[in-house]
Amino acid sequence: MKCTSSLTIRIASAAVTALLALSATACSSAPKARSGGPAWVEGQGAPEAAGFIHVQTPAGATEVKGGVQHGFQDTTYLISFTAPTADAETFIADLRPEEALRANTPRDPKTYTTITPWSHLGLPEPETEQKVRTASVCPPCIKDERRSTVQSITIFIQDIGDGRARVYLKAF
């Protein structure tokens, strides 16, 4: 009986050792977790964002900027441009917002933080600016087949004066 229990203990001990070895190997070869939050994709900007959202900036658009940010769950696409206000309004209407654009109450830029900062593109956060209206679009919800791979679009449009507006789109 003593021999059987000793054999059982040695087998159990060997099994535990093997499992620990496998566990250590699996952990050491696993990809390292990214720290520090979402990361900007180098070399991807306005063309990639416009391509993902399936939009074309108006002919009179200037200051076109964009970026792509890989997050923990989603990839976010940002695009912004300035255009004559009428062109910007037509552009926004084509996105088919679910509700009318509404006035945005500016947040304090000193305390407002976001994980998709427009500052990466050299722009102020639209949520902190004056004369900004906002809306959102869920392309699958409104059955917009042109944008069937886009889950959500957040729209900001800012009156910058002289008959021009800045459009901000954030999509994933």
Side-chain angles (χ1 to χ4, degrees):
M1 189 87 157
K2 186 176 187 181
C3 188
T4 305
S5 65
S6 175
L7 178 62
T8 304
I9 291 172
R10 280 187 279 171
I11 291 172
S13 176
V16 167
T17 302
L19 285 173
L20 287 173
L22 284 172
S23 155
T25 303
C27 290
S28 66
S29 65
K32 298 205 184 308
R34 186 165 33 116
S35 62
W40 293 100
V41 180
E42 198 170 322
Q44 292 196 2
E48 290 77 15
F52 175 76
I53 305 170
H54 299 282
V55 295
Q56 186 172 3
T57 57
T62 59
E63 300 178 48
V64 179
K65 299 179 180 191
V68 178
Q69 185 183 61
H70 285 307
F72 294 116
Q73 294 180 341
D74 296 308
T75 298
T76 301
Y77 297 80
L78 303 177
I79 188 166
S80 179
F81 59 87
T82 61
T85 302
D87 292 348
E89 295 287 348
T90 300
F91 176 88
I92 297 298
D94 183 59
L95 293 171
R96 298 171 30 197
E98 298 162 55
E99 53 194 42
L101 290 161
R102 63 192 177 286
N104 183 56
T105 303
R107 298 183 186 207
D108 182 353
K110 294 177 186 162
T111 59
Y112 180 73
T113 59
T114 178
I115 61 169
T116 53
W118 289 93
S119 60
H120 174 74
L121 303 178
L123 298 169
E125 302 301 322
E127 295 92 340
T128 65
E129 294 296 295
Q130 299 290 326
K131 300 181 183 177
V132 174
R133 294 175 296 141
T134 187
S136 62
V137 179
C138 170
C141 301
I142 62 170
K143 299 184 182 3
D144 184 348
E145 295 301 321
R146 301 169 300 167
R147 299 178 179 95
S148 61
T149 59
V150 181
Q151 295 300 307
S152 175
I153 303 170
T154 303
I155 303 164
F156 297 97
I157 183 169
Q158 179 184 22
D159 177 358
I160 57 174
D162 294 329
R164 294 189 62 78
R166 172 167 293 284
V167 173
Y168 297 82
L169 298 181
K170 174 178 150 183
F172 63 89

